Amino acid sequence: MPEPMGFYTDTTVCIGCKACEVACVEWNDMPFSPTTFDNTYQTMPETRWNYWNLILFNEHEREEDGSLQWLMRKHQCMHCAEPGCLEACPADGAIVQYTNGVVDFQQDHCIGCGYCITGCPFSIPKLNSVTKRVYKCTLCTDRVSEGLEPACIKSCPT
């Protein structure tokens, strides 16, 4: 049985470069989404069906000197030990949890009901309104099965 896996994001060394965001989109061959500029470094407000990895910027003004402080957090699927999306899904085989802990979606079995979306406490799975299929981070199962790191981890310069 394979060792359970996961990854740790050390936000104290994140420089907000977004290399992980780009690597995820490119590796998974997803179309790029237009971003919006709302006077912050935030790329977009949330994950999308074709944008599975997002660095969330929280900008705060320091009380002591008024300078700007960025607090960043990596927002993507947590590959939960007890996935709410899997429990909520009525379609047999649409969501699978591998023995290493990775939670993966099989779009060819997805019926587009959206129950997995409501079952996820982190609001991660997203519906493609054209295909009526739900998508989310796969933790690069194709790379991991070959002994490689997920694309987001491989691309991180820090």
Side-chain angles (χ1 to χ4, degrees):
M1 177 188 265
E3 277 289 313
M5 64 168 300
F7 61 90
Y8 170 74
T9 302
D10 186 351
T11 57
T12 65
V13 297
C14 178
I15 59 173
C17 70
K18 302 175 186 289
C20 58
E21 292 181 5
V22 174
C24 178
V25 171
E26 286 183 351
W27 180 261
N28 292 290
D29 200 25
M30 293 292 188
F32 278 92
S33 292
T35 59
T36 55
F37 180 70
D38 62 355
N39 209 24
T40 178
Y41 281 106
Q42 185 67 48
T43 310
M44 53 187 67
E46 61 185 9
T47 59
R48 295 181 181 166
W49 76 266
N50 60 337
Y51 208 88
W52 305 339
N53 177 23
L54 182 63
I55 298 297
L56 294 176
F57 283 76
N58 228 333
E59 298 176 354
H60 293 279
E61 188 176 323
R62 291 188 175 137
E63 290 181 17
E64 58 272 5
D65 63 4
S67 65
L68 185 64
Q69 176 184 23
W70 287 327
L71 303 174
M72 293 167 272
R73 160 171 90 81
K74 188 171 172 69
H75 186 64
Q76 71 181 70
C77 180
M78 304 293 202
H79 297 275
C80 302
E82 296 177 19
C85 61
L86 175 59
E87 292 297 319
C89 180
D92 191 37
I95 304 174
V96 295
Q97 185 170 31
Y98 302 123
T99 54
N100 66 359
V102 173
V103 179
D104 198 6
F105 279 32
Q106 306 296 312
Q107 279 76 25
D108 54 333
H109 294 281
C110 179
I111 60 173
C113 66
Y115 290 168
C116 59
I117 296 168
T118 59
C120 175
F122 304 106
S123 188
I124 293 296
K126 297 292 190 274
L127 180 71
N128 178 332
S129 60
V130 175
T131 65
K132 303 294 187 228
R133 300 291 187 258
V134 178
Y135 297 83
K136 68 158 201 69
C137 165
T138 65
L139 203 61
C140 292
T141 55
D142 53 344
R143 292 179 58 86
V144 169
S145 67
E146 296 296 322
L148 301 171
E149 296 175 313
C152 61
I153 294 172
K154 180 70 175 167
S155 68
C156 183
T158 60

